[in-house]
Amino acid sequence: MTSFANMTQSLAASLPSTSASAAGSSSAEQKDSVPMSRLFSTLLDTIQNPQNLHSNASTSASSTIPYDIWAVPSCSSVQNRSASNTHENNIISNNNNQSHSKDDISSGSPGTSSSISITCFRCEERTPTIRCIECNDLFCHECCHKVTSDCQLREHTLLPIHQISPIGVRPNSVTNDKEVMYCEIHFEPVRYYCEGCSVFICQECTFWMHKDHSYSPIKGALDMCRVGVFRAIEDAKTGTKAVKSAIDHAVAMTKAFEKETSEANMKIRKAMRSFAQAIEDREKYLLDKVEKIRQAKMSELAEHMNTLRGILAGLAHTNENLVRSMDSEGIDLFLAKDKGKSQVDYFAFVFKNMYVIEERIMFIPPNYDLVDQIKRQCDVQSAPANLMQSLSSPSSHQSRQSQLYSLQSAQTYTALSHQMPATSSLRSLSDYPSSHTRSTNYYNHSISSSVALDSNSTRGIGQAIPGYWMAVSLKPTRSPISGVPMFSFAREGQDEGQVSRPWGLCVDREGNIIVADRRNNRIQIFNCRGEFKTMFGSKGTGPGEFDLPAGITTDTFGRIIVIDKDNHRVQIFTSSGNFILKFGSFGKECGQFQYPWDVAVNTLGNIVVTDTRNHRIQLFTSDGTYITKFVFEGANPAKMLKGPTTPRGVCFTVSGNIIVSDFENHRLLMVDPTLSKVLYYVGREGSCISELNRPSGIVTDDDGRIIVADSKNHRVIVFTSELRILWAVDLKSPGLDDKDRPSDVALTPEGYLVVLFETLPDTARDITSHGKQYIKVY
């Protein structure tokens, strides 16, 4: 009866739609017997075939309900009936509220209306994509596949929202198409995955053995595992790309290393060929010299023997005449005697005045220590690529060759300490800071030290021309008129061979005269006759560029060392003008400068620089590594000076001391080799023989004499090594005036004086000064 009542109510529910449609064409009061007959006939059919009720209900609902049937929970779901009814009301309410919305957010799946928006049952925000058969609810992908969802825990059947299950057929769940696994302990279907033990477990396991473990439903765990597998696959792909890239990089490094190997082989051969060529040239020169000596001596001896043979023949002839005259009588005998005696006396006179110096060809052996030094020249090391590349940047623009030299491990000062005689006044390596005990970068100092520290050497560690193989001794001026040079060169101008306010001057071991052309910001090289050879440098701050260069010198290896004054640094070049390295910057710290002015080098390779505005001198190794300094504080006895010491010119003496000219205070100072104290100071402002007026450049000869350019007095003064005055050379000559003052001095290999004149700034560009020549050789 209950089921029959229900069917009756269902049929009654379907009648209003039919009567409503009929009422549209007739009046409300009209009675029609056809619907009633249909009602009874339909009721009888329903009793005989109850399935038609559901079919008709479905047909009626599909014709009247405008949205997807799957959006309304099924009444056949008994276990979730109350929840479904509540959710049905919510969905209808939401659909009514959103039916007039401007934007349609419908899922667009079959069976849904485009005018009604359907949302997820749980989050009520996202569009549903999945339908649960057991719950008859719609879920989005995120809510459905959460491991805490009811559908996941109960293993409900989940289908896409557009998939319609046939009536009477239950679609299989995602997990139903697989073989069911059972727990080996409790023999129940496994439902969870224990993350700590990495096994599948049943419901009973969660209460006992895996009670405190972390576990999750199998479906969610499998999804997470697939995500992990996918990530592992992506990581494997990424790793494959990285490994392939590393292999390509290794191949490129192999090719680059092969190229570097070829370049290093070429450079080694070139460097060693230069040594071999130099030795071969020296050998050829010495052999030619021996041959010339032999030929000259052979000619002299041949001429001597021919003269002796002539005397011998003459004596034989005279002897025959005297023997014949023995038979003569009277006056003939006397005449024969007188004639024979005079001939013998003549031959005796000639013989006595004939002499030949007995000479030997003396071979002066080389310093065989050089053999070991040559064996240690150059080096090859494996260096990081970033170090090789940083030097090609503008901040450190060194050539690759100088980079290779900067990596070589040459001998340190310790190698020199055992060669120093006991009387040497230089302090040992232990007196210097340990951070500055590294050796030179570019050359090995032991070569020069073996010469400079030889017990038979008289040159000490200060040389007139560093690296020159003979002693240079100052000679008097050759012109009988005081102040008149033998020749002059370097006019005012900007062309080759012309200068503009030059200051620094030096002579290299080949006899070339090198000038720091200050205002033209370049270095010019002349031969010993004053003829222009070459020049290098330009205005700028980069490597090989200058801003008012001043002091200049060469070392025992022929390198040219230049004070880049207004760039506050020192630059070093090869003898041909190729840049090697630079060091120094503006500042007051050790190794920094404020307007450095002059530079000098000793035979150990040490470089001393006058740091003018910092009132000090600083000592460096040949690669620019700072060693020590001396600040001229307290060097103002009795407060008689005009102001702080202003070091200008500098040079090493033969005993290793350092002579500095105090430009503004008109005096000379001698500092000991350790740069720890002032040994002597001499001079005061004036024009007398014992006075100075703005002393400037300094040079020493190999006999210990010190030559100073007394600029404002227009003369050069010669001192002993203890700063006692020997004589002065007046340089006032025709063509020069009071504005042209000697600024620097040098000596030629023959010992003749070379003087560089500087004119005042206001007259440097005067047209009357264009005829003057500022370098003079006396």
Side-chain angles (χ1 to χ4, degrees):
M1 293 298 292
T2 303
S3 60
F4 180 79
N6 291 336
M7 288 187 293
T8 305
Q9 291 176 0
S10 299
L11 287 173
S14 63
L15 286 177
S17 62
T18 306
S19 60
S21 61
S25 59
S26 61
S27 61
E29 294 86 3
Q30 185 178 1
K31 304 293 182 180
D32 190 358
S33 60
V34 176
M36 296 300 295
S37 61
R38 289 182 180 177
L39 173 63
F40 288 107
S41 62
T42 303
L43 180 61
L44 293 175
D45 292 338
T46 303
I47 294 173
Q48 296 176 1
N49 189 8
Q51 294 181 357
N52 291 339
L53 177 62
H54 298 284
S55 177
N56 294 334
S58 300
T59 305
S60 176
S62 62
S63 62
T64 58
I65 299 176
Y67 49 85
D68 190 355
I69 188 172
W70 297 109
V72 180
S74 174
C75 295
S76 62
S77 180
V78 179
Q79 58 184 351
N80 286 332
R81 179 173 299 176
S82 60
S84 300
N85 293 334
T86 304
H87 185 57
E88 178 181 0
N89 295 331
N90 292 337
I91 292 177
I92 295 174
S93 176
N94 291 337
N95 291 338
N96 292 333
N97 293 334
Q98 297 178 4
S99 60
H100 301 287
S101 63
K102 192 171 185 179
D103 296 325
D104 184 11
I105 57 172
S106 173
S107 64
S109 59
T112 60
S113 173
S114 61
S115 63
I116 295 179
S117 175
I118 303 175
T119 59
C120 175
F121 166 70
R122 288 190 173 87
C123 65
E124 298 183 359
E125 293 179 359
R126 290 180 287 269
T127 302
T129 59
I130 295 175
R131 175 171 57 88
C132 178
I133 297 299
E134 286 77 6
C135 301
N136 201 22
D137 289 335
L138 303 179
F139 304 104
C140 63
H141 185 273
E142 289 79 359
C143 294
C144 182
H145 288 283
K146 286 182 180 179
V147 295
T148 58
S149 66
D150 295 337
C151 296
Q152 285 283 359
L153 294 175
R154 298 176 182 178
E155 298 183 357
H156 288 184
T157 302
L158 304 175
L159 291 177
I161 194 171
H162 61 272
Q163 182 174 345
I164 302 175
S165 175
I167 296 176
V169 180
R170 175 184 173 88
N172 292 330
S173 173
V174 176
T175 59
N176 289 340
D177 57 349
K178 298 181 181 179
E179 184 180 356
V180 178
M181 293 183 295
Y182 293 91
C183 177
E184 295 179 356
I185 300 175
H186 304 101
F187 302 101
E188 293 184 2
V190 294
R191 297 186 178 185
Y192 305 98
Y193 171 73
C194 181
E195 298 178 0
C197 302
S198 298
V199 294
F200 291 118
I201 59 177
C202 64
Q203 184 72 30
E204 192 69 19
C205 292
T206 61
F207 299 136
W208 304 100
M209 299 178 60
H210 301 270
K211 177 181 179 182
D212 298 327
H213 295 184
S214 176
Y215 54 87
S216 59
I218 293 178
K219 184 62 173 63
L222 289 177
D223 291 342
M224 297 302 297
C225 183
R226 289 188 182 93
V227 173
V229 172
F230 176 76
R231 290 178 179 174
I233 293 173
E234 293 297 322
D235 291 342
K237 292 180 180 179
T238 304
T240 302
K241 293 181 181 179
V243 171
K244 289 181 179 180
S245 177
I247 292 173
D248 295 339
H249 183 63
V251 172
M253 288 176 59
T254 302
K255 295 180 180 179
F257 205 78
E258 290 292 340
K259 182 180 179 181
E260 291 290 341
T261 302
S262 301
E263 292 180 358
N265 291 337
M266 180 185 65
K267 292 175 182 178
I268 291 171
R269 292 189 181 96
K270 185 177 180 181
M272 294 300 104
R273 292 295 178 274
S274 63
F275 280 95
Q277 185 64 41
I279 294 174
E280 291 175 1
D281 292 344
R282 186 62 178 172
E283 179 185 13
K284 183 179 179 182
Y285 168 76
L286 294 175
L287 294 176
D288 291 343
K289 188 174 182 180
V290 169
E291 181 61 23
K292 290 178 181 178
I293 294 174
R294 186 193 69 81
Q295 291 178 0
K297 199 64 178 178
M298 291 298 106
S299 299
E300 182 182 0
L301 291 175
E303 183 180 357
H304 182 71
M305 287 187 291
N306 290 334
T307 304
L308 291 177
R309 290 189 183 100
I311 295 174
L312 182 61
L315 288 174
H317 181 70
T318 300
N319 187 48
E320 290 178 2
N321 291 335
L322 290 175
V323 170
R324 290 193 203 101
S325 67
M326 293 295 293
D327 297 333
S328 301
E329 296 291 342
I331 192 65
D332 293 335
L333 182 59
F334 289 98
L335 292 175
K337 182 197 65 136
D338 293 338
K339 184 178 180 180
K341 188 175 183 305
S342 62
Q343 289 179 348
V344 170
D345 291 340
Y346 171 75
F347 291 134
F349 175 77
V350 173
F351 179 75
K352 288 179 180 180
N353 287 278
M354 287 184 62
Y355 62 92
V356 176
I357 300 175
E358 187 174 355
E359 296 178 337
R360 297 288 185 273
I361 296 179
M362 181 177 65
F363 172 65
I364 303 175
N367 184 354
Y368 285 101
D369 292 338
L370 295 177
V371 176
D372 295 333
Q373 301 298 334
I374 291 175
K375 291 179 181 179
R376 291 193 291 268
Q377 287 299 304
C378 304
D379 196 3
V380 178
Q381 292 183 358
S382 178
N386 56 0
L387 176 62
M388 305 295 287
Q389 295 173 357
S390 67
L391 290 166
S392 63
S393 62
S395 60
S396 63
H397 188 66
Q398 298 185 11
S399 64
R400 186 171 294 181
Q401 181 180 3
S402 64
Q403 297 170 18
L404 181 61
Y405 284 136
S406 65
L407 294 172
Q408 74 177 28
S409 43
Q411 307 236 333
T412 62
Y413 289 99
T414 309
L416 302 178
S417 61
H418 73 277
Q419 299 179 6
M420 290 187 177
T423 58
S424 176
S425 58
L426 282 178
R427 60 179 175 178
S428 63
L429 174 65
S430 60
D431 295 329
Y432 292 107
S434 59
S435 59
H436 303 298
T437 58
R438 65 186 178 92
S439 62
T440 62
N441 287 7
Y442 197 79
Y443 293 99
N444 193 324
H445 293 134
S446 303
I447 298 176
S448 61
S449 65
S450 62
V451 178
L453 300 177
D454 188 356
S455 60
N456 296 324
S457 175
T458 59
R459 284 180 280 175
I461 57 173
Q463 283 187 271
I465 302 176
Y468 189 61
W469 62 284
M470 290 184 63
V472 177
S473 181
L474 176 64
K475 290 182 173 58
T477 56
R478 291 170 285 182
S479 175
I481 303 175
S482 177
V484 176
M486 296 302 296
F487 64 91
S488 305
F489 59 96
R491 298 179 182 274
E492 172 71 29
Q494 300 178 356
D495 296 333
E496 292 182 352
Q498 296 180 340
V499 297
S500 180
R501 294 205 70 208
W503 195 91
L505 174 76
C506 71
V507 176
D508 66 8
R509 57 187 180 182
E510 304 298 331
N512 298 316
I513 301 173
I514 308 174
V515 182
D517 191 1
R518 184 166 45 162
R519 184 171 285 181
N520 288 327
N521 294 296
R522 63 189 180 185
I523 305 300
Q524 297 199 65
I525 303 177
F526 303 84
N527 63 16
C528 59
R529 298 180 299 276
E531 299 169 349
F532 174 80
K533 290 184 64 176
T534 185
M535 65 181 179
F536 60 91
S538 60
K539 173 75 172 179
T541 59
E545 297 177 338
F546 302 104
D547 189 0
L548 300 179
I552 189 170
T553 188
T554 59
D555 63 5
T556 55
F557 304 99
R559 302 187 307 172
I560 301 174
I561 304 172
V562 183
I563 295 295
D564 193 2
K565 183 172 69 70
D566 282 24
N567 280 330
H568 314 284
R569 64 184 181 182
V570 179
Q571 297 196 69
I572 302 179
F573 302 85
T574 64
S575 58
S576 58
N578 295 322
F579 174 80
I580 298 176
L581 60 92
K582 58 183 175 67
F583 61 91
S585 61
F586 181 81
K588 297 182 180 180
E589 302 298 327
C590 296
Q592 294 182 326
F593 305 105
Q594 286 194 31
Y595 299 98
W597 204 281
D598 200 10
V599 62
V601 179
N602 61 16
T603 52
L604 296 177
N606 295 334
I607 302 172
V608 63
V609 180
T610 55
D611 192 2
T612 305
R613 296 285 178 87
N614 287 327
H615 314 291
R616 65 186 181 184
I617 58 175
Q618 298 191 70
L619 188 67
F620 301 86
T621 64
S622 67
D623 67 337
T625 302
Y626 171 80
I627 298 177
T628 187
K629 66 181 178 180
F630 181 80
V631 182
F632 293 96
E633 297 176 352
N636 189 355
K639 306 297 181 182
M640 297 299 293
L641 305 181
K642 290 184 175 181
T645 301
T646 54
R648 179 67 64 93
V650 66
C651 77
F652 286 94
T653 68
V654 294
S655 58
N657 297 322
I658 300 174
I659 301 293
V660 180
S661 62
D662 188 357
F663 186 73
E664 295 291 342
N665 292 311
H666 317 287
R667 62 175 182 165
L668 301 178
L669 301 102
M670 180 181 290
V671 183
D672 74 317
T674 62
L675 273 70
S676 60
K677 61 181 178 179
V678 175
L679 300 177
Y680 304 102
Y681 62 90
V682 64
R684 59 184 180 182
E685 185 177 5
S687 58
C688 297
I689 190 63
S690 61
E691 296 175 334
L692 300 169
N693 198 336
R694 294 196 171 181
S696 191
I698 308 174
V699 71
T700 182
D701 71 355
D702 295 324
D703 292 331
R705 287 183 284 265
I706 300 168
I707 302 98
V708 181
D710 189 7
S711 62
K712 204 168 182 180
N713 284 329
H714 304 278
R715 65 186 179 186
V716 169
I717 299 180
V718 182
F719 295 84
T720 65
S721 59
E722 292 82 17
L723 294 181
R724 293 194 298 269
I725 295 178
L726 293 175
W727 69 81
V729 179
D730 188 5
L731 299 180
K732 291 183 179 179
S733 62
L736 297 178
D737 52 37
D738 291 342
K739 297 179 181 179
D740 305 318
R741 301 170 181 176
S743 61
D744 204 1
V745 290
L747 294 176
T748 66
E750 298 80 17
Y752 297 117
L753 188 64
V754 184
V755 182
L756 175 67
F757 286 84
E758 178 194 19
T759 189
L760 295 180
D762 55 348
T763 61
R765 300 190 182 276
D766 190 356
I767 192 172
T768 59
S769 65
H770 288 187
K772 298 178 182 179
Q773 294 176 326
Y774 292 101
I775 303 177
K776 300 182 182 296
V777 181
Y778 293 89

